[in-house]
Amino acid sequence: MLTLIGAVYTARTSKAAAVTSAEATRVVAAVQVAPAQRSEDLKVLQATVSRVDEENGALRGRVSRVESILRAFAWTTDRWAQQMYRAGIEPEPVHPLVDEYNRTGV
């Protein structure tokens, strides 16, 4: 009987030790993978930031060009309106957004 109790105790202890060992192995593996995963995450983040910076630069260039065209167009239409006034022709009233732009420059 004592042998049977010893065998059961040994089996339970071995099973608990195996579970604990497996858990420890899993934790060690997770700890070892974490720096590599962080490194990969950082690479993805850096690539994303680089792409967004590049897109931002392109958009800034386009916005700058549109603003330049808008200023040139406003200047041209103002000249035409002045020519019409001098010729005694009353031009149509400007759109409210154009009037706001002429007043604020925005």
Side-chain angles (χ1 to χ4, degrees), residues 89-101:
I89 303 169
E90 186 68 28
E92 292 289 322
V94 297
H95 188 279
L97 290 175
V98 174
D99 186 46
E100 180 182 347
Y101 175 79

Side-chain angles (χ1 to χ4, degrees), residues 13-93:
T13 304
S14 295
K15 183 177 179 184
V19 168
T20 303
S21 177
E23 180 63 20
T25 302
R26 188 192 65 74
V27 169
V28 167
V31 167
Q32 289 174 345
V33 168
Q37 183 61 43
R38 281 194 162 172
S39 177
E40 287 301 312
D41 291 347
L42 180 60
K43 287 178 186 175
V44 168
L45 180 62
Q46 287 172 332
T48 301
V49 167
S50 177
R51 180 183 52 82
V52 168
D53 282 347
E54 190 175 302
E55 289 174 0
N56 234 2
L59 287 174
R60 283 187 185 136
R62 291 178 67 190
V63 167
S64 177
R65 179 71 179 143
V66 168
E67 287 174 343
S68 297
I69 291 170
L70 178 61
R71 279 191 299 275
F73 183 76
W75 181 77
T76 301
T77 54
D78 185 55
R79 271 193 358 205
W80 291 342
Q82 293 303 319
Q83 287 175 347
M84 290 175 76
Y85 283 128
R86 285 193 302 269
I89 303 169
E90 186 68 28
E92 292 289 322

